[in-house]
Amino acid sequence: MSGGEVAGILVAVFWAILVSFMALVLVRLAQTLKAATKLVADVCEQAVPLLADASATVRSANTQLARVDSIAADVQEVTANASALSSTVSSAFGGPLVKVAAFGYGVRRAIGRKTAPAEAAPQRSVFVGKTVGQKLPSARRGSRRIRGKG
């Protein structure tokens, strides 16, 4: 055997190993593609019903939001009506009630002055910054407190 024949045999063996390795890689790739195809099919089978359920849920939520929107509009209308009613009642009865309360206060004060003896009210004179004839609270008296050292 010559050197060229040995080189040819080595190249043939190398190509055989390379082809075997490539065949093994192609078989593994085919298995991976088959598994991926099955996975995609399973996901599609499960996703279609889930999407249908999600679509139905979104439609239901949209219906509920429309109801809530109409309820909010009604509440806003009721609030406006209550505010208008409150201002109407206030303007209709507020002035007369204030006048009646003021009249009642005046009557009570007049009756209180009429029944109280004149001697019961102490005479007070007010000078700038001082009240004469009135007993001041202890905090405002001019006396100093003696504190014990201790």
Side-chain angles (χ1 to χ4, degrees), residues 79-138:
T79 303
N81 290 341
S83 176
L85 178 66
S86 172
S87 63
T88 302
V89 168
S90 175
S91 65
F93 295 115
L97 285 178
V98 168
K99 290 177 183 177
V100 167
F103 179 74
Y105 175 75
V107 168
R108 276 184 287 143
R109 186 135 184 198
I111 291 174
R113 283 188 179 171
K114 188 175 184 181
T115 59
E119 297 169 5
Q123 294 292 332
R124 292 184 280 186
S125 300
V126 177
F127 296 105
V128 178
K130 293 185 178 182
T131 303
V132 178
Q134 178 184 12
K135 191 171 186 179
L136 296 175
S138 63

Side-chain angles (χ1 to χ4, degrees), residues 134-149:
Q134 178 184 12
K135 191 171 186 179
L136 296 175
S138 63
R140 294 187 58 197
R141 288 187 202 139
S143 64
R144 293 185 177 210
R145 293 182 184 170
I146 300 173
R147 296 183 182 177
K149 296 181 182 178

Side-chain angles (χ1 to χ4, degrees), residues 48-112:
V48 170
L50 285 176
L51 288 174
D53 289 345
S55 177
T57 303
V58 168
R59 274 191 235 107
S60 174
N62 193 18
T63 304
Q64 295 299 326
L65 283 174
R67 288 181 184 167
V68 167
D69 190 34
S70 66
I71 290 171
D74 291 343
V75 167
Q76 186 178 10
E77 184 179 339
V78 167
T79 303
N81 290 341
S83 176
L85 178 66
S86 172
S87 63
T88 302
V89 168
S90 175
S91 65
F93 295 115
L97 285 178
V98 168
K99 290 177 183 177
V100 167
F103 179 74
Y105 175 75
V107 168
R108 276 184 287 143
R109 186 135 184 198
I111 291 174

Side-chain angles (χ1 to χ4, degrees), residues 4-18:
E5 291 176 346
V6 172
I9 292 175
L10 283 176
V11 169
V13 169
F14 173 73
W15 279 106
I17 291 173
L18 184 65

